[in-house]
Amino acid sequence: MGLEYKDFDFDNGTVFIQRTSNYRNSSTGIYTSTPKTKSSCRVLAVPEFIIDLVKELQEEQKEQSIKCGDLWVDSDRLFITWNGTPMHPNTPYTWLKRFCKEENLPFKGLHSFRHTFATQAITSGTDVATVSSILGHSQTSTTLNLYTHAVQAANVKAINVMADLLNSEAG
């Protein structure tokens, strides 16, 4: 929720994760902070189609700013309200919950996308250190503890590759 357009390097296809958007209460309102740990600040590669979507969103928001005129608040954020103010951090969660209900889908929360990514990356052979870095974990042990099931599945997959090689050599 804290992403801003200046965080993107459109030419190199990367994004710098360096801030969070938070909400404590109505008196504090929405505020910007730093990620939990030093390693949470990171540069990630972004697929070209996502870069294109971000550029498209930026253009739509420029058009919206013209329509709003003096009501527009220039925040540089990707996730904004109709007049450019930063979106409440709970808005995506609320939207996803409503969407799942309307589509008769099980609701797992937004964090489940992060878990799915980590699990799929590890079981497809991406090393834990790389996954840990992408997730912004300060230590690979955090990733190993959270995704033990995926690491075990990757180990089984790796052992089966070796067993298949040995079987094909013996046969």
Side-chain angles (χ1 to χ4, degrees), residues 79-154:
F79 302 100
I80 58 172
T81 64
W82 66 273
N83 69 341
T85 58
M87 185 183 289
H88 191 288
N90 287 344
T91 300
Y93 177 90
T94 304
W95 178 88
L96 181 61
K97 190 171 186 176
R98 185 174 53 246
F99 175 81
C100 288
K101 184 176 181 179
E102 289 171 1
E103 299 298 322
N104 200 28
L105 296 169
F107 176 68
K108 303 287 185 188
L110 287 170
H111 218 70
S112 64
F113 293 106
R114 182 178 167 90
H115 291 300
T116 300
F117 161 76
T119 301
Q120 292 300 311
I122 292 169
T123 57
S124 69
T126 306
D127 64 279
V128 174
T130 299
V131 174
S132 185
S133 172
I134 291 169
L135 294 174
H137 290 158
S138 56
Q139 298 178 357
T140 55
S141 60
T142 303
T143 310
L144 288 167
N145 290 337
L146 290 171
Y147 301 102
T148 302
H149 64 285
V151 173
Q152 290 170 343

Side-chain angles (χ1 to χ4, degrees), residues 15-29:
V15 62
F16 182 33
I17 309 298
Q18 60 183 332
R19 79 183 66 73
T20 61
S21 186
N22 304 297
Y23 179 87
R24 182 170 294 129
N25 54 45
S26 59
S27 62
T28 307

